[in-house]
Amino acid sequence: MVQMIKAICFSILISLSSVTVLAQDASAKTDLAFAKKGKRIKIDFGDELVQGQVGTPDAMFLNTKKNHNFKKLIKIRENFNVEMDKSKNAFQK
Amino acid sequence: MRLSNTLLAIGLVLGAQVALAAPPAPARKALVSQAAAIERGRKLIEEKKFKAGGLYFYNLVYGNSRMTAQQKQLSKYLMGVALNRANFSQIASFNLLASSQSTDRKLASKSYEQLVKAAEALNDKSLLNYAFKKTDVTELTEIGREYYFNSLAKISMEAGENDKAISYLDNSLTINSENEESIYLKGLAYIKKGDNASAVPFLEKIYKKYEPAPLASKKKDEATLALARVNYNLQKWTAAIELYKTIPKDSHLYRQVNLELSWAYFRNYQFRSALSVIHSLNTPFYENFYDPESLILRSIILLFICQVPDLERSVAFFNNYYVAAYDNLKFWNQNNYSDQKHFAMVDKLMGELNRDRNLSQSSVELPYFIFRTLLEDPEISMKISYLNNIKRERKALNAQFNVPNAMNFLKYGNKILDSRIKNVSAEVGSLVKLRLRDIENELADYITQFDFINYETIGIMKNKAAQKFIKKSTDVSEADDKQSRQFFIQSGFQYYPFEGEYWRDEIGNYQYLGTNQCGAND
């Protein structure tokens, strides 16, 4: 009888501990899932001194469209009307 | 004869008006004596003693308080006529402006007609436009009606009223259907309206008229160029090219023709022909002309055929020459100098050019090639010509009227002329200042264009480098690849690269031998 009671207590303890482990796994999975979604993760550093610096890139990166055709922006002469206007006295008597 | 009839008619009109007024006896006596005095002056003009007539009427108007307002206005008109005939048009115009305000419609109209003549002699465009607008066509005696309508058409075109201009030109062509100026202007008015097709018959008519003329004919060149331009507007490149090519090398328009011909070749995809023509414009023979357009056109064509080394030379030349000039100009314009300072610079350069017509360098603060081209601007050159005419008039006045009995007139004339010289000088300065700002903006625009060209050039170089790399890793050379084939000059080869050097007789005879390098595997 006593042995039976011990066995039952033991099985209860085992089952409780497995539930805790499962619960911990579940919470870790949830944190990772949040991290993946870009949500905020709270990290407690306690009283640790954190040393950091702002990093700036040494080179500028320009995002340019590939194969941008500037030829279209080059102005082509459509007429010589201004020059023609300047000659308006050419046939004056 | 015509002048004496006009004067007689005005005298009669005035006589009738004086009679109608019927003043009391002593006043009438004074009036009659004044009328007789006017008559004496009129006779001097009829006898062609214009200088004496001008002086006589000056003394009558400014030294005689007993004249009626109407008599004074008539005397001022006659003084204006006499001085106009004696080539003192600026002093004449002052008096004619006063007489044009007369309540006598006929006298006012005659005054405007004389004002037109004075403005023409002086080359004073503002006065000419003012007088033409006020002149009544039915009262014209000394000015041709065709000339009157043509002038009104030009004024309308400047105001953007092209339909009105066409209607004036129709009036002129009704009087004389062969009036060349009216025909050309009508074609131009249609072009300005955007109706190029309607302009063609008019410009063709004038071209055909001059086609049989000898080679050295300015009007023939102008007529050919006008027809070529309208063909260009209509995108009939081949027709335009054929016409441009007929204009001879000794024409005053040759530089402009070369530029336009290059554009026409370019638009017709004849890149090598375009570059051959444009070579001449990029020689030091034309280095003292402000002509960034030919350089940009050259660069555009070189870009289209991927001739990178030539293109790099073009860009470098533009940077050395025009970008440097732009910086200089920008700094100058930022200082916002006065009109007088701008005029002083024009005056200095004109003095240098008068001493040496082939001046290659100037001491003016701004780049010489910009300033020299600026002086060729029609509006500026017209104002300068007006200024020179007033100066000439002042010189003549001091030479001819420096006599004891003309001292007051001399003082009066000098006062008018000095004031005009001061004002016109400031107008020239203001116009130059404005044009310099225009050139700065234009150069800024060209610099942007060159930036685009530069960007495209880098793209071509990048592609070429990639192609070269790919070829190196895959190509297998053959034994006779290294064999020289340069026995004679061939397409795509040059004895030496064009660096701007030239011989005078080479101008207009260059042949560009480069080939299209786009996609070529080096």
Side-chain angles (χ1 to χ4, degrees):
Chain A
M1 184 66 188
V2 176
Q3 275 183 341
M4 218 174 124
I5 290 165
K6 275 182 181 175
I8 290 164
C9 285
F10 182 68
S11 63
I12 288 167
L13 272 170
I14 286 169
S15 60
L16 275 173
S17 63
S18 63
V19 166
T20 317
V21 169
L22 280 170
Q24 278 174 350
D25 282 354
S27 70
K29 274 183 183 171
T30 321
D31 283 349
L32 272 173
F34 277 138
K36 275 181 186 170
K37 283 177 190 170
K39 294 274 172 74
R40 195 171 64 178
I41 305 167
K42 193 179 172 187
I43 303 164
D44 188 9
F45 289 100
D47 292 334
E48 289 293 324
L49 179 68
V50 179
Q51 279 189 327
Q53 61 185 69
V54 180
T56 52
D58 292 325
M60 289 280 285
F61 293 95
L62 288 172
N63 289 321
T64 50
K65 266 165 79 178
K66 276 189 178 176
N67 302 324
H68 196 129
N69 190 359
F70 278 107
K71 274 185 188 171
K72 287 175 190 167
L73 297 171
I74 294 167
K75 288 181 190 166
I76 304 293
R77 265 283 198 156
E78 293 301 335
N79 59 59
F80 294 99
N81 294 356
V82 177
E83 286 77 5
M84 222 172 157
D85 196 50
K86 283 180 184 171
S87 301
K88 69 181 168 201
N89 292 329
F91 294 96
Q92 195 175 309
K93 280 182 185 169
Chain B
M1 189 63 195
R2 222 175 185 187
L3 174 70
S4 61
N5 286 343
T6 313
L7 295 174
L8 188 67
I10 290 168
L12 286 172
V13 169
L14 181 77
Q17 279 167 349
V18 168
L20 280 173
R28 195 191 296 167
K29 204 177 170 185
L31 263 180
V32 171
S33 74
Q34 294 308 316
I38 293 170
E39 199 58 25
R40 277 197 294 279
R42 197 174 61 82
K43 277 201 175 114
L44 283 174
I45 299 173
E46 275 175 20
E47 287 163 15
K48 298 191 175 175
K49 293 175 180 168
F50 302 120
K51 241 171 70 182
L55 189 61
Y56 177 85
F57 278 110
Y58 168 77
N59 289 326
L60 206 62
V61 173
Y62 296 98
N64 189 341
S65 58
R66 286 186 301 162
M67 285 174 108
T68 62
Q70 213 170 17
Q71 280 176 329
K72 257 191 181 165
Q73 271 174 335
L74 176 66
S75 300
K76 280 186 176 178
Y77 165 75
L78 291 169
M79 182 179 167
V81 172
L83 290 173
N84 238 353
R85 297 275 164 139
N87 295 327
F88 292 102
S89 304
Q90 185 62 67
I91 308 174
S93 69
F94 260 68
N95 293 285
L96 292 166
L97 272 171
S99 63
S100 69
Q101 305 305 312
S102 169
T103 48
D104 177 356
R105 203 176 55 83
K106 204 155 191 162
L107 181 63
S109 183
K110 293 288 159 204
S111 302
Y112 284 124
E113 196 177 5
Q114 284 296 320
L115 267 175
V116 169
K117 296 190 83 179
E120 266 183 352
L122 289 165
N123 223 353
D124 183 356
K125 198 181 159 192
S126 335
L127 183 64
L128 192 68
N129 288 358
Y130 169 77
F132 260 125
K133 279 183 189 165
K134 297 276 184 179
T135 310
D136 182 357
V137 67
T138 57
E139 302 284 343
L140 291 176
T141 53
E142 290 189 52
I143 303 169
R145 292 172 74 193
E146 296 160 43
Y147 174 61
Y148 169 79
F149 284 123
N150 286 343
S151 302
L152 283 180
K154 281 188 217 169
I155 295 168
S156 302
M157 267 196 267
E158 272 171 31
E161 298 166 339
N162 296 314
D163 287 321
K164 207 172 167 185
I166 290 170
S167 107
Y168 283 130
L169 294 164
D170 284 338
N171 286 337
S172 170
L173 289 167
T174 312
I175 301 164
N176 176 10
S177 62
E178 295 301 313
N179 186 311
E180 293 163 18
E181 192 182 13
S182 308
I183 298 169
Y184 179 83
L185 289 175
K186 200 166 173 188
L188 180 60
Y190 275 119
I191 288 173
K192 284 189 157 191
K193 244 182 98 177
D195 186 358
N196 287 297
S198 299
V200 174
F202 295 98
L203 299 175
E204 228 163 32
K205 187 175 180 179
I206 207 159
Y207 169 74
K208 279 181 182 156
K209 190 176 177 182
Y210 280 100
E211 209 178 359
L215 276 178
S217 159
K218 276 189 178 183
K219 285 190 177 177
K220 184 182 178 180
D221 297 343
E222 290 280 4
T224 313
L225 191 56
L227 191 59
R229 282 167 173 169
V230 78
N231 273 303
Y232 185 97
N233 287 3
L234 288 165
Q235 306 201 341
K236 292 180 179 172
W237 314 121
T238 317
I241 289 166
E242 289 311 313
L243 285 162
Y244 280 128
K245 276 162 67 180
T246 60
I247 297 172
K249 283 181 191 174
D250 58 351
S251 167
H252 68 296
L253 298 164
Y254 190 64
R255 189 173 70 93
Q256 182 62 30
V257 166
N258 265 349
L259 177 69
E260 295 182 19
L261 176 60
S262 313
W263 274 114
Y265 272 132
F266 171 65
R267 301 295 301 267
N268 205 32
Y269 299 102
Q270 290 174 262
F271 296 150
R272 272 170 52 163
S273 302
L275 283 170
S276 299
V277 175
I278 223 160
H279 253 25
S280 302
L281 297 177
N282 295 148
T283 58
F285 184 69
Y286 292 116
E287 72 181 349
N288 280 328
F289 288 91
Y290 169 77
D291 188 17
E293 193 178 346
S294 70
L295 203 56
I296 203 153
L297 174 59
R298 180 180 155 84
S299 308
I300 292 169
I301 301 169
L302 290 169
L303 177 70
F304 271 68
I305 59 171
C306 308
Q307 279 286 354
V308 176
D310 283 348
L311 188 52
E312 281 177 322
R313 266 196 290 274
S314 248
V315 172
F317 183 77
F318 183 82
N319 287 339
N320 292 339
Y321 213 56
Y322 289 103
V323 175
Y326 170 76
D327 292 339
N328 197 341
L329 201 58
K330 195 176 172 187
F331 180 73
W332 174 273
N333 288 340
Q334 272 170 354
N335 283 318
N336 199 22
Y337 291 123
S338 66
D339 296 344
Q340 283 75 17
K341 188 165 171 86
H342 281 86
F343 175 73
M345 202 159 55
V346 173
D347 206 32
K348 193 175 172 184
L349 181 61
M350 283 197 307
E352 287 176 357
L353 280 168
N354 283 339
R355 282 190 293 278
D356 177 12
R357 291 308 299 170
N358 300 317
L359 191 73
S360 57
Q361 271 189 328
S362 163
S363 60
V364 292
E365 291 97 321
L366 286 172
Y368 171 54
F369 68 98
I370 288 186
F371 226 79
R372 184 190 145 160
T373 309
L374 203 69
L375 293 184
E376 287 171 6
D377 178 280
E379 219 172 326
I380 293 175
S381 64
M382 194 179 246
K383 270 266 186 276
I384 291 172
S385 146
Y386 173 36
L387 183 66
N388 289 337
N389 285 335
I390 314 173
K391 284 181 177 170
R392 216 168 289 133
E393 190 172 320
R394 186 174 62 176
K395 205 173 168 185
L397 180 80
N398 287 308
Q400 294 176 37
F401 286 93
N402 200 0
V403 284
N405 67 337
M407 279 308 171
N408 283 342
F409 178 70
L410 186 69
K411 220 166 133 183
Y412 163 82
N414 270 323
K415 197 177 164 188
I416 291 173
L417 296 174
D418 287 344
S419 146
R420 281 314 290 153
I421 288 170
K422 194 180 165 193
N423 291 341
V424 178
S425 303
E427 282 169 25
V428 172
S430 162
L431 212 54
V432 167
K433 191 175 172 178
L434 207 70
R435 289 285 185 275
L436 286 176
R437 287 186 192 279
D438 289 344
I439 292 177
E440 185 196 325
N441 291 336
E442 192 181 85
L443 276 176
D445 200 33
Y446 281 128
I447 288 169
T448 313
Q449 294 282 301
F450 263 94
D451 285 344
F452 295 149
I453 291 172
N454 256 334
Y455 181 88
E456 291 292 330
T457 312
I458 292 164
I460 294 168
M461 286 163 78
K462 191 186 82 180
N463 288 341
K464 275 183 182 273
Q467 280 171 9
K468 204 172 175 181
F469 178 75
I470 293 162
K471 198 185 172 196
K472 251 186 188 175
S473 58
T474 56
D475 203 21
V476 182
S477 61
E478 289 178 16
D480 61 344
D481 272 0
K482 285 175 185 170
Q483 194 179 330
S484 172
R485 290 184 174 82
Q486 291 182 352
F487 309 117
F488 52 88
I489 194 138
Q490 293 172 47
S491 230
F493 291 86
Q494 293 176 63
Y495 279 124
Y496 52 86
F498 177 73
E499 301 279 7
E501 68 287 340
Y502 76 101
W503 291 98
R504 178 67 185 86
D505 58 349
E506 284 176 353
I507 301 293
N509 290 327
Y510 290 105
Q511 289 296 318
Y512 185 76
L513 294 161
T515 50
N516 191 341
Q517 293 296 305
C518 300
N521 292 326
D522 290 344

